[in-house]
Amino acid sequence: MSESIVAYRYAKALIDLANQQGVVDEVNKDMSFFETICNENANFVAVMANPIVRHDKKLSILKKIFENNVNNVTFSIFSVLTKKNREKLIYSIAKEFQKLYNLQTGVQIVEISSSVALTETQKADFAKMVSGAINKQVKLEESVDETLIGGYVLRVGDTQIDTSVKKKLNELKLALA
């Protein structure tokens, strides 16, 4: 079974449990915190994925970092996964949990890439425009890609709007060829 399917199933079970316990917002913050730790510490991710490191050591590491900093429901999934030798899935589960949480709360992640950093006004305008078009609350994730030269690339789910100068130059090159 693929890792994403397994991660989805654990994330679904976790969000159901968090909803039952009434702590879904707290668990969401905890999973975001876990993602941040993983993104900032490649060594942590490597240790969690390493089959040579014993599972009790991994649980000890998780306890030291998270036990007093996260909700009991969140830590219980860490503990269960470690006992089942699936601690390398926690990062994937955190990502799947975020998707399920956003779906539950009606939030759509919108990615925007531009050649320069956007101003707060521009971010607000993009968020308002997309929110009006899809009738959902929008969470804007911005990145800077200087290779675009100008314009922007907007991604909403499976849809991409590319108004970059790079794309227009490529289209012109194809038309002239």
Side-chain angles (χ1 to χ4, degrees):
M1 195 175 312
S2 81
E3 185 176 303
S4 63
I5 293 171
V6 175
Y8 172 81
R9 289 181 179 175
Y10 277 109
K12 179 74 172 114
L14 179 59
I15 202 165
D16 289 345
L17 178 62
N19 280 323
Q20 286 176 353
Q21 301 288 326
V23 293
V24 73
D25 292 328
E26 290 176 47
V27 173
N28 181 53
K29 288 177 188 167
D30 297 343
M31 296 311 256
S32 294
F33 175 57
F34 184 84
E35 275 190 78
T36 302
I37 296 290
C38 289
N39 291 335
E40 294 175 356
N41 300 294
N43 290 338
F44 175 74
V45 175
V47 168
M48 287 296 123
N50 190 335
I52 297 172
V53 178
R54 292 190 348 240
H55 302 290
D56 59 329
K57 276 284 192 208
K58 292 178 185 178
L59 183 59
S60 161
I61 292 167
L62 289 170
K63 278 184 180 180
K64 286 180 182 174
I65 297 172
F66 297 104
E67 189 171 37
N68 296 323
N69 298 320
V70 298
N71 187 286
N72 291 337
V73 173
T74 306
F75 191 76
S76 69
I77 194 79
F78 294 168
S79 182
V80 166
L81 289 166
T82 304
K83 288 176 185 169
K84 292 185 176 251
N85 304 332
R86 293 193 165 191
E87 54 278 319
K88 73 177 185 174
L89 292 174
I90 300 174
Y91 182 71
S92 299
I93 292 167
K95 292 183 89 51
E96 289 296 325
F97 185 90
Q98 294 294 312
K99 290 177 187 175
L100 290 170
Y101 180 80
N102 288 337
L103 186 66
Q104 179 176 312
T105 57
V107 174
Q108 176 68 50
I109 302 296
V110 175
E111 300 171 22
I112 186 160
S113 298
S114 59
S115 58
V116 294
L118 299 175
T119 65
E120 292 302 317
T121 305
Q122 289 170 323
K123 289 179 192 177
D125 289 345
F126 274 113
K128 184 178 177 184
M129 175 185 66
V130 174
S131 180
I134 64 174
N135 294 324
K136 287 186 176 182
Q137 184 180 348
V138 169
K139 182 178 176 186
L140 201 62
E141 293 182 353
E142 179 191 12
S143 63
V144 175
D145 182 359
E146 294 174 359
T147 65
L148 296 177
I149 305 170
Y152 62 88
V153 178
L154 183 71
R155 287 178 204 86
V156 181
D158 295 343
T159 305
Q160 176 173 301
I161 300 168
D162 189 343
T163 66
S164 67
V165 173
K166 179 180 178 180
K167 178 186 179 219
K168 291 177 182 174
L169 288 173
N170 285 336
E171 288 173 349
L172 183 60
K173 185 184 348 179
L174 287 172
L176 293 174

